[in-house]
Short mmCIF file of all heavy atoms in Angstrom, two decimals:
data_model
loop_
_atom_site.label_atom_id
_atom_site.label_comp_id
_atom_site.label_asym_id
_atom_site.label_seq_id
_atom_site.Cartn_x
_atom_site.Cartn_y
_atom_site.Cartn_z
N MET H 1 -0.64 13.59 2.42
CA MET H 1 -0.89 12.84 1.33
C MET H 1 -2.02 11.81 1.64
O MET H 1 -2.57 11.02 0.75
CB MET H 1 0.39 11.90 1.10
CG MET H 1 1.55 12.71 0.68
SD MET H 1 1.25 13.69 -0.81
CE MET H 1 1.62 15.30 -0.23
N LYS H 2 -2.35 11.57 2.89
CA LYS H 2 -3.46 10.56 3.18
C LYS H 2 -4.70 10.80 2.50
O LYS H 2 -5.23 11.98 2.36
CB LYS H 2 -3.64 10.60 4.72
CG LYS H 2 -2.62 9.95 5.60
CD LYS H 2 -2.99 9.84 7.06
CE LYS H 2 -1.93 9.18 7.82
NZ LYS H 2 -2.17 9.09 9.23
N GLY H 3 -5.18 9.78 2.00
CA GLY H 3 -6.52 9.86 1.28
C GLY H 3 -6.43 9.98 -0.14
O GLY H 3 -7.42 9.68 -0.92
N ARG H 4 -5.31 10.46 -0.67
CA ARG H 4 -5.19 10.72 -2.10
C ARG H 4 -4.17 9.77 -2.78
O ARG H 4 -4.19 9.46 -3.89
CB ARG H 4 -4.82 12.23 -2.49
CG ARG H 4 -5.84 13.22 -2.16
CD ARG H 4 -5.53 14.46 -2.94
NE ARG H 4 -4.37 15.04 -2.46
CZ ARG H 4 -3.42 15.51 -3.34
NH1 ARG H 4 -3.63 15.35 -4.70
NH2 ARG H 4 -2.22 15.97 -2.94
N PHE H 5 -3.05 9.57 -2.05
CA PHE H 5 -1.99 8.74 -2.54
C PHE H 5 -1.89 7.31 -1.81
O PHE H 5 -2.23 7.29 -0.65
CB PHE H 5 -0.68 9.32 -2.36
CG PHE H 5 -0.40 10.62 -3.05
CD1 PHE H 5 -1.39 11.12 -3.84
CD2 PHE H 5 0.74 11.25 -3.12
CE1 PHE H 5 -1.25 12.35 -4.70
CE2 PHE H 5 1.04 12.44 -3.89
CZ PHE H 5 0.00 12.95 -4.62
N THR H 6 -1.65 6.29 -2.64
CA THR H 6 -1.51 4.81 -1.98
C THR H 6 -0.13 4.30 -2.44
O THR H 6 0.02 4.23 -3.60
CB THR H 6 -2.65 4.02 -2.51
OG1 THR H 6 -3.96 4.62 -2.11
CG2 THR H 6 -2.55 2.63 -1.82
N ILE H 7 0.68 3.86 -1.53
CA ILE H 7 1.79 3.23 -1.85
C ILE H 7 1.64 1.64 -1.74
O ILE H 7 0.85 1.27 -0.92
CB ILE H 7 2.99 3.66 -0.80
CG1 ILE H 7 4.29 3.15 -1.30
CG2 ILE H 7 2.59 3.21 0.59
CD1 ILE H 7 5.51 3.68 -0.34
N SER H 8 2.27 0.98 -2.62
CA SER H 8 2.31 -0.53 -2.58
C SER H 8 3.53 -1.07 -3.26
O SER H 8 4.18 -0.31 -3.80
CB SER H 8 0.96 -1.03 -3.27
OG SER H 8 1.03 -0.72 -4.63
N ARG H 9 3.67 -2.36 -3.03
CA ARG H 9 4.80 -2.92 -3.60
C ARG H 9 4.47 -4.49 -3.94
O ARG H 9 3.64 -5.14 -3.31
CB ARG H 9 6.00 -2.92 -2.61
CG ARG H 9 5.80 -3.73 -1.44
CD ARG H 9 7.05 -3.52 -0.48
NE ARG H 9 8.35 -3.97 -0.99
CZ ARG H 9 9.62 -3.60 -0.59
NH1 ARG H 9 9.58 -2.64 0.39
NH2 ARG H 9 10.65 -4.14 -1.09
N ASP H 10 5.13 -4.94 -5.00
CA ASP H 10 5.00 -6.35 -5.45
C ASP H 10 6.38 -6.86 -5.44
O ASP H 10 7.16 -6.60 -6.34
CB ASP H 10 4.36 -6.39 -6.85
CG ASP H 10 4.03 -7.87 -7.28
OD1 ASP H 10 4.71 -8.78 -6.71
OD2 ASP H 10 3.16 -8.05 -8.15
N ASN H 11 6.78 -7.52 -4.44
CA ASN H 11 8.15 -8.15 -4.34
C ASN H 11 8.45 -9.08 -5.30
O ASN H 11 9.53 -9.35 -5.71
CB ASN H 11 8.35 -8.69 -2.95
CG ASN H 11 8.48 -7.62 -1.74
OD1 ASN H 11 8.71 -6.53 -2.18
ND2 ASN H 11 8.48 -7.93 -0.51
N ALA H 12 7.44 -9.89 -5.85
CA ALA H 12 7.67 -10.77 -6.85
C ALA H 12 8.08 -10.16 -8.16
O ALA H 12 8.67 -10.79 -9.11
CB ALA H 12 6.34 -11.69 -7.04
N LYS H 13 7.60 -8.89 -8.39
CA LYS H 13 7.86 -8.14 -9.57
C LYS H 13 8.93 -7.07 -9.42
O LYS H 13 9.28 -6.36 -10.21
CB LYS H 13 6.56 -7.48 -10.25
CG LYS H 13 5.56 -8.48 -10.55
CD LYS H 13 4.34 -7.66 -11.12
CE LYS H 13 3.30 -8.66 -11.55
NZ LYS H 13 2.10 -7.99 -12.14
N ASN H 14 9.51 -7.08 -8.20
CA ASN H 14 10.59 -6.04 -7.81
C ASN H 14 10.16 -4.69 -8.17
O ASN H 14 11.00 -3.87 -8.63
CB ASN H 14 11.92 -6.48 -8.67
CG ASN H 14 12.49 -7.71 -8.20
OD1 ASN H 14 12.22 -8.29 -7.12
ND2 ASN H 14 13.40 -8.23 -9.09
N THR H 15 8.96 -4.40 -7.76
CA THR H 15 8.35 -3.12 -8.14
C THR H 15 7.57 -2.47 -7.07
O THR H 15 6.83 -3.23 -6.38
CB THR H 15 7.52 -3.14 -9.39
OG1 THR H 15 8.38 -3.76 -10.50
CG2 THR H 15 7.02 -1.78 -9.94
N MET H 16 7.74 -1.14 -6.91
CA MET H 16 6.84 -0.48 -5.98
C MET H 16 6.01 0.62 -6.77
O MET H 16 6.37 1.02 -7.79
CB MET H 16 7.73 0.44 -5.01
CG MET H 16 7.10 1.20 -4.08
SD MET H 16 8.06 2.10 -2.84
CE MET H 16 9.03 3.26 -4.02
N TYR H 17 4.84 0.86 -6.14
CA TYR H 17 3.94 1.82 -6.94
C TYR H 17 3.49 2.85 -6.00
O TYR H 17 3.52 2.91 -4.88
CB TYR H 17 2.67 1.00 -7.41
CG TYR H 17 2.91 -0.21 -8.15
CD1 TYR H 17 3.08 -1.44 -7.50
CD2 TYR H 17 3.21 -0.13 -9.52
CE1 TYR H 17 3.40 -2.58 -8.29
CE2 TYR H 17 3.54 -1.33 -10.23
CZ TYR H 17 3.58 -2.52 -9.66
OH TYR H 17 3.85 -3.72 -10.30
N LEU H 18 3.06 3.95 -6.72
CA LEU H 18 2.38 4.93 -6.03
C LEU H 18 1.16 5.44 -6.82
O LEU H 18 1.34 6.03 -7.96
CB LEU H 18 3.29 6.31 -5.84
CG LEU H 18 2.64 7.40 -5.10
CD1 LEU H 18 2.53 7.06 -3.62
CD2 LEU H 18 3.54 8.65 -5.13
N GLN H 19 0.01 5.14 -6.35
CA GLN H 19 -1.27 5.59 -7.04
C GLN H 19 -1.67 6.96 -6.41
O GLN H 19 -1.74 7.22 -5.26
CB GLN H 19 -2.44 4.52 -6.71
CG GLN H 19 -3.70 4.90 -7.14
CD GLN H 19 -3.67 4.96 -8.76
OE1 GLN H 19 -3.07 3.87 -9.27
NE2 GLN H 19 -4.34 5.82 -9.33
N MET H 20 -1.79 7.83 -7.46
CA MET H 20 -2.11 9.19 -7.04
C MET H 20 -3.46 9.62 -7.64
O MET H 20 -3.55 9.54 -8.89
CB MET H 20 -1.03 10.21 -7.54
CG MET H 20 0.38 9.78 -7.09
SD MET H 20 1.58 11.00 -7.56
CE MET H 20 1.63 10.98 -9.28
N ASN H 21 -4.35 9.95 -6.85
CA ASN H 21 -5.68 10.33 -7.27
C ASN H 21 -6.03 11.83 -6.93
O ASN H 21 -5.32 12.43 -6.05
CB ASN H 21 -6.75 9.56 -6.62
CG ASN H 21 -6.60 8.01 -6.91
OD1 ASN H 21 -6.18 7.73 -7.97
ND2 ASN H 21 -6.92 7.07 -5.82
N SER H 22 -6.95 12.40 -7.61
CA SER H 22 -7.42 13.81 -7.44
C SER H 22 -6.17 14.68 -7.40
O SER H 22 -6.04 15.50 -6.50
CB SER H 22 -8.17 13.83 -6.06
OG SER H 22 -9.22 13.05 -6.08
N LEU H 23 -5.41 14.67 -8.46
CA LEU H 23 -4.16 15.43 -8.55
C LEU H 23 -4.49 16.90 -8.63
O LEU H 23 -5.50 17.31 -9.23
CB LEU H 23 -3.36 14.95 -9.80
CG LEU H 23 -2.63 13.63 -9.51
CD1 LEU H 23 -2.16 12.95 -10.81
CD2 LEU H 23 -1.44 13.85 -8.51
N LYS H 24 -3.63 17.67 -7.98
CA LYS H 24 -3.72 19.03 -7.95
C LYS H 24 -2.49 19.75 -8.55
O LYS H 24 -1.41 19.10 -8.67
CB LYS H 24 -3.95 19.58 -6.47
CG LYS H 24 -4.95 18.98 -5.71
CD LYS H 24 -4.91 19.35 -4.21
CE LYS H 24 -5.94 18.51 -3.38
NZ LYS H 24 -5.79 18.91 -1.98
N PRO H 25 -2.65 21.02 -9.10
CA PRO H 25 -1.50 21.65 -9.62
C PRO H 25 -0.30 21.70 -8.68
O PRO H 25 0.88 21.62 -9.09
CB PRO H 25 -2.00 22.99 -10.02
CG PRO H 25 -3.44 22.86 -10.24
CD PRO H 25 -3.87 21.74 -9.25
N GLU H 26 -0.58 21.84 -7.32
CA GLU H 26 0.53 21.87 -6.46
C GLU H 26 1.28 20.54 -6.34
O GLU H 26 2.21 20.43 -5.61
CB GLU H 26 0.09 22.28 -5.04
CG GLU H 26 -1.26 21.70 -4.47
CD GLU H 26 -2.58 22.32 -4.91
OE1 GLU H 26 -2.55 22.88 -6.02
OE2 GLU H 26 -3.37 22.42 -3.98
N ASP H 27 0.75 19.39 -6.94
CA ASP H 27 1.38 18.11 -6.89
C ASP H 27 2.51 18.08 -7.94
O ASP H 27 3.25 17.22 -7.97
CB ASP H 27 0.36 17.01 -7.22
CG ASP H 27 -0.58 16.87 -5.99
OD1 ASP H 27 -0.23 16.95 -4.74
OD2 ASP H 27 -1.68 16.63 -6.27
N THR H 28 2.65 19.08 -8.83
CA THR H 28 3.52 19.19 -9.80
C THR H 28 4.99 19.15 -9.17
O THR H 28 5.33 19.91 -8.32
CB THR H 28 3.48 20.44 -10.60
OG1 THR H 28 2.20 20.44 -11.38
CG2 THR H 28 4.58 20.62 -11.70
N ALA H 29 5.86 18.16 -9.55
CA ALA H 29 7.08 18.02 -8.98
C ALA H 29 7.80 16.87 -9.74
O ALA H 29 7.17 16.07 -10.58
CB ALA H 29 7.01 17.60 -7.48
N VAL H 30 9.07 16.57 -9.41
CA VAL H 30 9.76 15.38 -9.84
C VAL H 30 9.54 14.37 -8.55
O VAL H 30 9.87 14.63 -7.49
CB VAL H 30 11.27 15.68 -10.01
CG1 VAL H 30 12.12 14.22 -10.32
CG2 VAL H 30 11.42 16.57 -11.16
N TYR H 31 9.12 13.20 -9.02
CA TYR H 31 8.88 12.13 -8.07
C TYR H 31 9.95 11.14 -8.10
O TYR H 31 10.22 10.54 -9.23
CB TYR H 31 7.51 11.49 -8.28
CG TYR H 31 6.26 12.39 -8.01
CD1 TYR H 31 6.07 13.70 -8.63
CD2 TYR H 31 5.48 12.16 -6.84
CE1 TYR H 31 5.05 14.49 -8.30
CE2 TYR H 31 4.50 12.94 -6.42
CZ TYR H 31 4.31 14.13 -7.09
OH TYR H 31 3.33 14.88 -6.76
N CYS H 32 10.55 10.66 -6.97
CA CYS H 32 11.59 9.80 -6.91
C CYS H 32 11.32 8.69 -5.99
O CYS H 32 10.58 8.87 -4.96
CB CYS H 32 12.93 10.50 -6.45
SG CYS H 32 13.42 11.82 -7.37
N CYS H 33 11.75 7.42 -6.18
CA CYS H 33 11.74 6.45 -5.30
C CYS H 33 13.10 6.24 -4.67
O CYS H 33 14.13 6.66 -5.27
CB CYS H 33 11.17 5.16 -5.93
SG CYS H 33 12.27 4.47 -7.24
N ALA H 34 13.06 5.63 -3.50
CA ALA H 34 14.41 5.46 -2.80
C ALA H 34 14.26 4.10 -1.97
O ALA H 34 13.21 3.66 -1.61
CB ALA H 34 14.72 6.64 -1.91
N ALA H 35 15.44 3.61 -1.63
CA ALA H 35 15.57 2.31 -1.01
C ALA H 35 16.53 2.38 0.25
O ALA H 35 17.53 3.17 0.12
CB ALA H 35 15.92 1.21 -1.96
N VAL H 36 16.22 1.59 1.23
CA VAL H 36 17.16 1.43 2.39
C VAL H 36 17.16 -0.02 2.60
O VAL H 36 16.14 -0.68 2.85
CB VAL H 36 16.79 2.23 3.54
CG1 VAL H 36 15.21 2.03 3.94
CG2 VAL H 36 17.69 1.94 4.69
N PRO H 37 18.43 -0.62 2.71
CA PRO H 37 18.55 -2.09 3.02
C PRO H 37 18.17 -2.30 4.52
O PRO H 37 18.58 -1.45 5.42
CB PRO H 37 20.00 -2.38 2.70
CG PRO H 37 20.64 -1.11 2.85
CD PRO H 37 19.68 -0.02 2.40
N THR H 38 17.37 -3.36 4.81
CA THR H 38 17.07 -3.61 6.21
C THR H 38 16.79 -5.09 6.40
O THR H 38 16.33 -5.80 5.56
CB THR H 38 15.77 -2.79 6.49
OG1 THR H 38 15.39 -3.04 7.95
CG2 THR H 38 14.53 -3.14 5.55
N ALA H 39 17.09 -5.50 7.64
CA ALA H 39 16.84 -6.79 8.01
C ALA H 39 15.52 -6.94 8.82
O ALA H 39 15.05 -8.02 9.16
CB ALA H 39 17.90 -7.44 8.89
N ILE H 40 14.89 -5.74 9.11
CA ILE H 40 13.70 -5.59 9.80
C ILE H 40 12.52 -5.60 8.85
O ILE H 40 12.25 -4.40 8.28
CB ILE H 40 13.69 -4.40 10.85
CG1 ILE H 40 15.01 -4.42 11.64
CG2 ILE H 40 12.50 -4.36 11.72
CD1 ILE H 40 15.20 -3.28 12.49
N ARG H 41 11.91 -6.61 8.72
CA ARG H 41 10.83 -6.74 7.59
C ARG H 41 9.60 -5.79 7.74
O ARG H 41 8.93 -5.40 6.92
CB ARG H 41 10.41 -8.13 7.43
CG ARG H 41 11.53 -9.02 6.79
CD ARG H 41 11.05 -10.46 6.59
NE ARG H 41 9.85 -10.44 5.72
CZ ARG H 41 9.89 -10.31 4.42
NH1 ARG H 41 10.84 -9.93 3.76
NH2 ARG H 41 8.62 -10.42 3.74
N TYR H 42 9.43 -5.44 9.01
CA TYR H 42 8.13 -4.74 9.39
C TYR H 42 8.44 -3.21 9.41
O TYR H 42 7.39 -2.46 9.74
CB TYR H 42 7.47 -5.17 10.67
CG TYR H 42 8.45 -5.13 11.86
CD1 TYR H 42 8.44 -3.92 12.56
CD2 TYR H 42 9.09 -6.18 12.21
CE1 TYR H 42 9.36 -3.83 13.64
CE2 TYR H 42 10.01 -6.21 13.34
CZ TYR H 42 10.09 -4.88 14.05
OH TYR H 42 10.89 -4.83 15.07
N ARG H 43 9.64 -2.80 9.39
CA ARG H 43 9.87 -1.35 9.61
C ARG H 43 9.85 -0.53 8.39
O ARG H 43 10.50 -1.01 7.26
CB ARG H 43 11.39 -1.19 10.26
CG ARG H 43 11.69 0.23 10.54
CD ARG H 43 13.00 0.40 11.23
NE ARG H 43 13.42 1.83 11.37
CZ ARG H 43 14.51 2.13 11.92
NH1 ARG H 43 15.40 1.35 12.29
NH2 ARG H 43 14.73 3.45 11.99
N TYR H 44 9.30 0.67 8.39
CA TYR H 44 9.43 1.69 7.33
C TYR H 44 10.38 2.81 7.90
O TYR H 44 10.48 2.83 8.98
CB TYR H 44 8.00 2.27 6.93
CG TYR H 44 7.23 2.85 8.09
CD1 TYR H 44 7.57 4.04 8.49
CD2 TYR H 44 6.16 2.15 8.47
CE1 TYR H 44 6.77 4.57 9.50
CE2 TYR H 44 5.41 2.72 9.47
CZ TYR H 44 5.70 3.96 10.05
OH TYR H 44 4.92 4.50 11.03
#
């Protein structure tokens, strides 16, 4: 995904984003977001 997709979030708006550029037919799929509660603010 590196170079074509960019993930970001706006905690003030309670929203996460995925910017997808240069899309290809093989990118066809159902895209889902998911969350995990954590007390470690720097961990993905």
Side-chain angles (χ1 to χ4, degrees):
M1 300 301 125
K2 283 186 177 180
R4 292 197 301 129
F5 290 7
T6 303
I7 189 173
S8 62
R9 67 188 293 162
D10 186 339
N11 285 348
K13 295 183 178 180
N14 294 343
T15 304
M16 176 180 67
Y17 305 97
L18 184 69
Q19 177 68 41
M20 306 188 293
N21 299 327
S22 303
L23 285 163
K24 306 173 182 179
E26 51 265 43
D27 293 320
T28 295
V30 174
Y31 286 70
C32 299
C33 60
V36 51
T38 180
I40 307 172
R41 292 183 52 77
Y42 58 83
R43 181 180 175 181
Y44 56 73

